[in-house]
Amino acid sequence: MKLREKLRATLVQTFGTARLDESVRSAFEAGVAGVDDATLPQEGDVVGGCYRLVSRLGEGMFGRVYVAERTDVPEHRVALKVMSRAAYAGRNVERELVMLAAATHPHIVQLKDHGVTDDYVWLTMPLYHGETLLERLDRGPLTLREAHAIFLPIARGVQSLHARGLRHQDIKPDNIFLATFEDAVHPVLLDLGVAVEQNATFVAGTALYAAPEQIIALGGLKGDARLDERMDVYCLATTLLRSLVGEERFPGAKARTPYEIASAFAERERHPLADDALPGLRGEPRARLVLALQRWMTSDAARRPTAEELATQLDVLLEQEREAARVIEQNLARQEASYRRMRGALTFVVVGTVAAALFGVSKRETLRLAAELERERALGAASFDKLDTCVAAHQIAERETASCRDELAAATARHADALRVAETSLDETSDGLTRKLSYANTMLNRCEAESEQAAAAWAEERAGLAAERQAVEQTLERARSEWKTRREELEQKRSEAEQATERCATTREACEAAKDAIAVERDACFLALPAAPAAAKPAPPALPADPGAKPSVSAPAEVKAKAAPPAVPPTPPPAAPPPGPAPTPAAE
């Protein structure tokens, strides 16, 4: 397994006194542990006496997940997970399963049924419809509002798990499922297969999201590790950070070695948000989020908050919305106060004007009744008094109007500032969405290009393999034909050799018979010869060159005439063998 894939896969390791079986340990350390086709059930098998495996949903390092249906109620379908019993070496399986069954929470996958065999452990869960958080992140990072809606219920679920004395150990985007119920998203924390008691010595985790003490316990770094439930807080915080900033800006996403993992721990604690991450989040809301992430991902586990405290502190994700709401509320309050002041001022001006008018009318009526006494003087005095009153009322109205106008201008300016801030925030949000869309399009184009390249390479490789296979088949066919021809030739030669052997045997028998006949004839000739004088020694008879000719001896004519030997028919010479290949030693 490549190192990058190993950093993104769940690893397990014993720590302290617990020990795994050596074969299982070596398999885990090699990054290829888990699924054993010889021990785990397959599709069509019945598990637990009543669950028939219908189809496979997924496969991990420790086992497989199937869609299963009850044999007695086929309409009742569940998700059934089977895991190798070796993954539970050194663990109290029954106790952990009972504790998991007791950990009930709407946002934690519910353990419905379970069982243990000599080869595997199985458990059933509800069958959800939706997608994992990792699949959602392939379309782009989450907004602050989306992250709050997803991680707050997950944090509450982790809090419930901790309250029952368990720790999850492997919180990551793959293990958060976004189930859909009537178009509403319901986050659920999955994969309780490596969950253990809070102080257990068995440790598991994914290096890319794990806490420092988990990496130390897994053997990736040196140091002392105290294992407890606060490692889940770190895993939840790293998953949140990855969901907000994307993989490219997630510290440690490109880590390949333990040293780079350690550097990622330091960067997350010191500077979790890159300068170009979350460009729309600025000012006090950004500073508060950075402080919260630093607190959640500190390497000192004792300084991290609990899952309950983390759930409460997740409100920092909505700080930007609350600040914008406060600004709008303050602007509305100032506008309302300005409106109230303007309304009071206008009321005062109207009342003053009406009072002045009434006062003038009553004054004119009085002067009219006193017209007979100093009419000209009274009219002049009345006119003078009216003029002074109107001037005073006019001055008051002008002052009030100017004050209202100034307050209106100030309120208008404040409204314009608030509107400008809102438009700026909207533009930044739009720019952020545009950048996210551009990033998503870029990633999609890259994936499509890589897919096309892979398809072309696969087609080329397949064509090459087909041509190579055809050439091999042709070579084999030629060799088979040559072998067949050679075999027929050898069979023919063997038949000819057997025939030649038979002819040789016949010829040899004929030669032996001729030889015996010649010996008999020679003996007869010797017996027929008279006794020779002692001084004369008879010469040996000369054998004829032709085996079929009669033997002749040098003897006196009278002897020949006196005792002629009986006539022996000549033996025919052996027939010459027919033309053909000489017999091989094997044939003889």
Side-chain angles (χ1 to χ4, degrees):
M1 181 181 290
K2 297 181 180 178
L3 182 58
R4 179 183 178 91
E5 297 175 352
K6 190 173 181 179
L7 292 175
R8 297 170 182 270
T10 302
L11 305 177
V12 300
Q13 179 70 38
T14 54
F15 184 70
T17 58
R19 290 291 181 270
L20 284 177
D21 179 75
E22 290 301 325
S23 62
V24 179
R25 179 201 302 279
S26 61
F28 281 144
E29 291 176 351
V32 295
V35 180
D36 184 2
D37 290 334
T39 60
L40 296 184
Q42 308 292 327
E43 293 182 11
D45 294 343
V46 176
V47 176
C50 60
Y51 294 102
R52 177 177 288 106
L53 305 184
V54 178
S55 61
R56 185 186 301 184
L57 280 178
E59 181 175 327
M61 289 186 65
F62 306 106
R64 301 191 184 97
V65 180
Y66 292 91
V67 175
E69 63 180 13
R70 291 185 62 94
T71 55
D72 53 348
V73 186
E75 291 77 10
H76 182 198
R77 293 198 168 192
V78 295
L80 189 146
K81 184 172 185 178
V82 289
M83 295 169 288
S84 175
R85 183 64 184 269
Y88 283 86
R91 299 164 60 183
N92 190 335
V93 181
E94 292 293 345
R95 175 176 173 81
E96 289 183 8
L97 289 176
V98 169
M99 296 182 70
L100 289 176
T104 57
H105 191 274
H107 297 284
I108 294 181
V109 61
Q110 183 63 46
L111 180 62
K112 296 294 185 181
D113 197 0
H114 68 275
V116 180
T117 68
D118 294 337
D119 296 325
Y120 59 87
V121 177
W122 62 271
L123 48 91
T124 64
M125 303 160 287
L127 189 61
Y128 298 113
H129 297 281
E131 63 181 352
T132 64
L133 178 58
L134 183 63
E135 293 171 340
R136 163 60 185 84
L137 294 180
D138 289 339
R139 301 195 299 270
L142 300 178
T143 64
L144 295 173
R145 167 60 67 176
E146 289 176 328
H148 183 269
I150 292 174
F151 283 88
L152 178 59
I154 294 297
R156 294 298 184 190
V158 175
Q159 173 189 347
S160 174
L161 201 64
H162 291 173
R164 286 162 176 80
L166 296 171
R167 67 172 190 257
H168 187 280
Q169 299 198 108
D170 198 21
I171 301 175
K172 57 183 179 180
D174 312 52
N175 290 336
I176 295 178
F177 195 82
L178 306 180
T180 55
F181 297 98
E182 297 181 355
D183 297 333
V185 176
H186 183 83
V188 180
L189 183 60
L190 301 179
D191 198 0
L192 301 179
V194 294
V196 294
E197 297 181 65
Q198 290 178 357
N199 297 322
T201 56
F202 178 83
V203 64
T206 301
L208 191 61
Y209 303 96
E213 60 267 25
Q214 284 179 270
I215 301 300
I216 293 173
L218 289 169
L221 296 174
K222 295 182 179 180
D224 297 330
R226 178 179 178 274
L227 303 178
D228 58 19
E229 71 279 5
R230 292 184 188 249
M231 67 173 63
D232 288 343
V233 174
Y234 192 98
C235 297
L236 192 60
T238 54
T239 304
L240 171 62
L241 180 59
R242 161 70 175 84
S243 302
L244 289 175
V245 302
E247 184 175 5
E248 294 295 328
R249 296 174 179 82
F250 177 55
K254 299 180 181 179
R256 297 292 185 277
T257 63
Y259 174 78
E260 293 176 347
I261 288 290
S263 300
F265 289 148
E267 185 178 359
R268 293 170 188 171
E269 185 175 5
R270 183 181 63 255
H271 188 57
L273 280 183
D275 295 336
D276 56 345
L278 300 178
L281 183 64
R282 296 179 300 183
E284 185 65 20
R286 186 182 185 90
R288 291 188 179 184
L289 179 58
V290 169
L291 289 176
L293 291 172
Q294 291 173 341
R295 185 165 56 251
W296 300 338
M297 292 186 292
T298 177
S299 57
D300 185 2
R303 294 171 52 198
R304 293 182 208 141
T306 63
E308 182 179 3
E309 293 171 344
L310 174 64
T312 303
Q313 296 169 9
L314 280 174
D315 283 346
V316 71
L317 297 173
L318 304 180
E319 184 62 28
Q320 185 181 29
E321 292 186 8
R322 286 197 295 268
E323 183 177 1
R326 284 195 297 268
V327 170
I328 295 175
E329 185 177 355
Q330 291 173 0
N331 291 335
L332 291 176
R334 284 195 295 268
Q335 292 177 3
E336 186 177 358
S338 175
Y339 173 74
R340 286 197 299 268
R341 289 195 298 270
M342 184 183 298
R343 186 174 59 182
L346 291 176
T347 302
F348 180 78
V349 170
V350 171
V351 171
T353 303
V354 171
L358 292 176
F359 178 76
V361 171
S362 62
K363 189 69 174 177
R364 287 195 299 272
E365 185 66 22
T366 302
L367 292 176
R368 188 180 63 81
L369 296 174
E372 295 178 356
L373 299 173
E374 301 179 358
R375 187 180 183 84
E376 294 297 332
R377 181 180 178 182
L379 289 175
S383 299
F384 183 80
D385 292 339
K386 181 180 178 182
L387 180 60
D388 292 340
T389 302
C390 290
V391 169
H394 180 68
Q395 291 176 351
I396 293 173
E398 284 185 347
R399 286 195 299 269
E400 293 294 337
T401 303
S403 177
C404 291
R405 188 181 297 111
D406 294 339
E407 292 181 357
L408 179 61
T412 303
R414 288 193 298 270
H415 178 71
D417 293 338
L419 184 61
R420 187 165 51 256
V421 171
E423 290 177 351
T424 303
S425 176
L426 181 61
D427 292 340
E428 292 174 353
T429 304
S430 177
D431 293 341
L433 293 176
T434 302
R435 283 192 294 272
K436 291 178 182 178
L437 181 60
S438 176
Y439 173 75
N441 290 333
T442 302
M443 294 299 295
L444 180 60
N445 293 334
R446 184 185 304 173
C447 291
E448 290 178 352
E450 293 177 354
S451 176
E452 291 177 357
Q453 293 176 359
W458 175 80
E460 182 178 358
E461 183 178 358
R462 181 178 180 183
L465 291 175
E468 183 178 354
R469 177 181 177 182
Q470 185 177 3
V472 171
E473 290 179 350
Q474 292 176 355
T475 303
L476 291 176
E477 186 64 27
R478 288 195 298 271
R480 189 181 296 109
S481 177
E482 293 176 358
W483 176 82
K484 185 177 180 180
T485 304
R486 179 62 177 168
R487 181 178 179 181
E488 292 175 353
E489 293 177 354
L490 291 176
E491 290 291 343
Q492 183 179 359
K493 289 182 179 180
R494 180 181 177 182
S495 177
E496 293 175 354
E498 290 177 351
Q499 295 176 1
T501 301
E502 293 177 355
R503 289 195 297 270
C504 288
T506 304
T507 303
R508 184 173 59 187
E509 292 177 356
C511 290
E512 290 292 337
K515 182 179 177 182
D516 293 341
I518 292 172
V520 171
E521 184 178 359
R522 184 185 61 187
D523 292 342
C525 290
F526 278 124
L527 292 175
L529 290 176
K537 185 177 182 180
L543 296 176
D546 188 358
K550 294 182 179 180
S552 61
V553 295
S554 299
E558 60 271 22
V559 175
K560 293 181 180 179
K562 190 179 290 186
V568 178
T571 303
T584 60
E588 293 195 30

